[in-house]
Amino acid sequence: MRFAIGLLTILAIASVIGTVLKQNEPYPNYAFEFGQYWFQVFASLGLYDVYHAGWFIAILAFLMLSTTLCIIRNAPGFLRDMRSFRSRAGERSLAAMKHTVSIEGQADLGALSGYLKRQGFRFKTIARDDGTTLIAAKKGSASRLGYFFAHGAMLVICIGGLIDGNLPLKVGELLGSVAAETRDLPQSQIPAISRLTAGNLSFRGDVTIAENKSADVVFINSGPGYLVQDLPFIVTLRRFNVDYYSNGMPKLFASDIEVTDKASGKVTRARVEVNHPLVVDGVAIYQASFGDGGSPLKLKAWNLDSPQMPPVVIDGLSKASQPLRVNGRDYRLEFNDLRVFNIEDMGNGGKTDASLGQRMKDAREVTRPHQLKNVGPSIDFKIRDSAGQAREYLTYMAPIQQDGASYLISAVRREVSQPFDYLRIPLDDQMSIDTFMRLRAALNNPALYGEIAALSGAKAMQGNAISPAMRQEFEASVKWILARFAEGGFEGLQTFLEQHVPADKRAEVAQTYIKILQGAVIDVMTVANRHAGLAPMAQDAAHYRFLLDSLVAVGALKSYGAPVFLQLDSFQQIQASGLQMTRSPGKTLVYLGSLLLVVGILLMFYIQERRLWLLVKPGSLRLAMSANRHNPDLDRDFARHQDAIKQLARGEDGHRPTA
């Protein structure tokens, strides 16, 4: 018993872990969440797939064996005891019981039998050779059935757990006939050792199917790799349906699918929704998730190293990769998912100085009000150089309003474990980045510095900001500052100050540089528009803010780390449905075992076994009672029966209400 209780305790703890810790995720997800040390510790304990871990299955097997042996050992005695009336009890043994009393008087056996019947007892009357008569009665023997139901329930649950734990698969892995695949291969090239046949006893796997595409396998995460589970049918996604709330959060998503049996060709059409699966050939098909199914993309590629070049249109496909050649160098452009809806928290709790990262992060805090908003489509991609080094980028398609101005948002990070650094590119009156790119091209074109400086000098002379003798020096300063800024942005200017200007004069010199740059940027825009055959930009606060934001964005592009800026121009959305398919024959046994366990507990705790003996002798009788467990009810029942039988012994009517 102690051994079984210990096993049950371990199983209970393991079940809590399996409920709290998300199971069967890819190993990199756990390594990212827990760190390398704890990832290895938890992996060695099998906590990422608790219910299929070898030790969990072993405990189930030992518990099943222990329960079976317990039933075999105790069942015969229990059955004999349930059938027995214990009619061999003698006067000495009855007198030794805790609840016993000797009653004077002569009671009629018929009256005693009638009383016991009315009280719900079954009894047996035995006339003995010494002239005494023993009436052995009992009721509530069904409580003994609770033992069988409870232990049988544990046995059935363990069998169901072993079936769904896929014991044959674990044995195959132990013997080396089954091994997880760790390479990223097309499923048609997966070797037989990593494939499971359609006759596999139990499985739970996932597959993502794009619209009008089919699948006849699911993928099962197995340790550091995966297994491919063949299905007895082909699943085709005809249409994916999704509805959204007004703030862009998904309200309902469902898949219209066709399931074609491989053997018979029978086609089953159904809609699968969350919590409304389709069951075919014992395999339940659940709606688990949804995402991008490989959408055609059109992007504008702005050459950051040659800003005078017009943008080039690139055709791409999400969830795919393609070569990219820029300025004579080869890169790999790796597209991830296209996300049509992006729900971001655009609130700042009433503060106006919140950083861009704080504005764009997911809404995770609950201690302040949120302003959830759909900021539109985005594409996630990586640009990998010939050495294999890559940066990840996230670019939004739609303009995003911040503090009364419109921006195109892009983000970059070097590693997956790092947060994104966001870049805001201001948009012009046409909600385009063309004006910004034209300004950036002029800032990076030294051939225009003379014209820009001359225009800045003339304006400074006109405003009496400088004298004629200082004009040449002022224009030289403008050209020098433009060159330093084009080379390194604001960080380049800061580095120059730290290296060449004494610490006590840096603030004053830096303020001078910023004033010259902020004034010259107007002339940079004027010259850029002039060379493009466009009218000068309007001189007002909104457009001046655009220019100042442009300076910040130009400086930020210095650390963008990409040869091109990719702007998502258009797309054709192809949706995909994430389906989870499970074969779980042990589930029915587990449900049955749970029902038996409830019945067993009810029988054991709510039905009490009572045994009553009446040893009738000439002129007296002895009453004795016992129960399978002592409680105050037994004391009250004994007192009640004692009073009633005393009345019968005196020749009175001993009828009492039944308990």
Coordinates of all heavy atoms in Angstrom, one line a residue, residues 8 20 88-89 104 106 119 211 225 302 336 378 460 464 482 494 519 534 557 568 580 595:
L8 N 1.7 6.9 -6.7 CA 0.6 7.8 -7.0 C 1.1 9.2 -6.7 O 0.7 10.2 -7.5 CB -0.6 7.5 -6.2 CG -1.4 6.3 -6.7 CD1 -2.5 6.0 -5.7 CD2 -2.0 6.5 -8.1
V20 N 1.6 22.5 -16.0 CA 2.2 23.8 -15.9 C 3.2 24.1 -17.1 O 3.1 25.2 -17.7 CB 2.9 24.0 -14.6 CG1 3.6 25.4 -14.5 CG2 1.8 23.9 -13.4
R88 N -20.5 -18.3 12.7 CA -19.8 -19.2 13.7 C -19.5 -18.4 15.0 O -18.8 -18.9 15.9 CB -18.5 -19.7 13.1 CG -18.8 -20.7 12.0 CD -17.5 -21.3 11.5 NE -17.7 -22.2 10.4 CZ -16.7 -22.9 9.7 NH1 -15.5 -22.7 10.1 NH2 -17.0 -23.7 8.8
A89 N -19.9 -17.2 15.1 CA -19.5 -16.4 16.2 C -20.1 -17.0 17.5 O -21.3 -17.4 17.6 CB -20.1 -15.0 16.1
E104 N -32.2 -9.1 29.2 CA -33.0 -10.1 29.9 C -34.4 -10.1 29.2 O -34.9 -9.1 28.8 CB -33.2 -9.7 31.3 CG -31.9 -9.7 32.1 CD -31.3 -11.1 32.2 OE1 -32.1 -12.1 32.2 OE2 -30.0 -11.2 32.2
Q106 N -37.5 -12.9 27.0 CA -37.6 -13.9 26.0 C -38.3 -13.2 24.8 O -39.4 -12.8 24.8 CB -38.4 -15.1 26.5 CG -38.4 -16.2 25.5 CD -37.1 -16.9 25.4 OE1 -36.4 -17.1 26.4 NE2 -36.7 -17.2 24.2
Q119 N -35.4 -3.2 9.1 CA -34.2 -2.3 9.2 C -33.3 -2.5 8.0 O -32.2 -1.9 7.9 CB -33.5 -2.7 10.5 CG -34.3 -2.4 11.7 CD -34.6 -0.9 11.8 OE1 -33.8 0.0 11.6 NE2 -35.9 -0.6 12.1
E211 N -3.9 26.8 -47.8 CA -5.1 26.7 -48.6 C -4.9 26.0 -49.9 O -3.9 26.3 -50.6 CB -5.8 28.1 -48.8 CG -6.3 28.7 -47.5 CD -7.0 30.0 -47.7 OE1 -6.4 30.9 -48.5 OE2 -8.1 30.3 -47.2
G225 N 14.8 16.2 -32.0 CA 14.4 16.1 -33.4 C 12.9 15.9 -33.5 O 12.1 16.4 -32.7
W302 N 15.6 49.5 -51.4 CA 16.3 50.8 -51.5 C 17.8 50.5 -51.2 O 18.1 50.0 -50.1 CB 15.8 51.8 -50.5 CG 14.4 52.2 -50.8 CD1 13.3 51.5 -50.4 CD2 13.9 53.3 -51.5 NE1 12.1 52.1 -50.8 CE2 12.5 53.3 -51.4 CE3 14.5 54.4 -52.1 CZ2 11.7 54.2 -52.0 CZ3 13.7 55.3 -52.7 CH2 12.3 55.3 -52.7
N336 N 10.3 35.0 -43.4 CA 9.5 34.2 -42.4 C 8.1 34.4 -42.7 O 7.6 34.5 -43.8 CB 9.9 34.6 -41.0 CG 11.4 34.2 -40.6 OD1 11.8 33.2 -41.1 ND2 12.1 35.1 -39.9
S378 N 2.9 43.0 -41.6 CA 4.3 43.1 -41.4 C 4.9 41.8 -42.0 O 4.3 40.8 -42.1 CB 4.7 43.2 -39.9 OG 4.4 42.0 -39.2
A460 N 22.1 82.7 -43.7 CA 22.7 83.2 -42.5 C 23.1 84.7 -42.6 O 22.9 85.5 -41.7 CB 24.0 82.4 -42.1
N464 N 21.5 88.1 -40.7 CA 22.5 88.7 -39.8 C 23.0 87.8 -38.7 O 23.4 88.2 -37.6 CB 21.9 90.0 -39.1 CG 21.5 91.0 -40.2 OD1 22.3 91.2 -41.2 ND2 20.4 91.7 -40.0
L482 N 28.2 68.2 -42.4 CA 27.5 67.3 -43.3 C 28.3 66.1 -43.6 O 27.7 64.9 -43.6 CB 27.1 68.0 -44.6 CG 26.0 69.1 -44.5 CD1 25.8 69.8 -45.8 CD2 24.7 68.6 -44.0
Q494 N 29.4 62.6 -32.1 CA 29.7 62.4 -30.7 C 31.1 61.8 -30.5 O 31.9 62.3 -29.6 CB 28.7 61.4 -30.0 CG 29.0 61.2 -28.5 CD 28.7 62.4 -27.7 OE1 28.0 63.3 -28.0 NE2 29.4 62.4 -26.5
G519 N 19.7 73.6 -39.1 CA 19.5 74.6 -40.0 C 19.8 74.2 -41.4 O 19.0 74.5 -42.4
L534 N 11.5 69.2 -58.4 CA 10.3 69.4 -57.5 C 10.4 70.8 -56.8 O 11.5 71.4 -56.7 CB 10.3 68.3 -56.5 CG 10.2 66.9 -57.0 CD1 10.3 65.9 -55.8 CD2 8.9 66.7 -57.8
L557 N 20.0 54.6 -39.4 CA 20.3 53.6 -40.5 C 21.8 53.2 -40.5 O 22.1 52.2 -41.1 CB 19.9 54.3 -41.9 CG 18.4 54.1 -42.2 CD1 18.1 54.9 -43.5 CD2 18.0 52.7 -42.4
L568 N 7.8 46.7 -47.7 CA 6.7 45.8 -48.2 C 5.7 46.7 -48.9 O 5.1 47.6 -48.4 CB 6.0 45.1 -47.0 CG 4.9 44.2 -47.3 CD1 5.3 43.1 -48.3 CD2 4.3 43.6 -46.1
Q580 N -3.9 19.8 -35.3 CA -3.3 18.8 -34.5 C -4.1 17.5 -34.6 O -5.4 17.6 -34.5 CB -3.3 19.2 -33.0 CG -2.6 18.2 -32.1 CD -2.5 18.7 -30.7 OE1 -3.4 18.4 -29.9 NE2 -1.5 19.5 -30.3
L595 N -14.5 7.1 -14.1 CA -15.9 6.9 -13.6 C -16.0 5.8 -12.6 O -16.6 5.9 -11.5 CB -16.8 6.5 -14.8 CG -18.2 6.1 -14.5 CD1 -19.0 7.3 -13.9 CD2 -19.0 5.7 -15.8

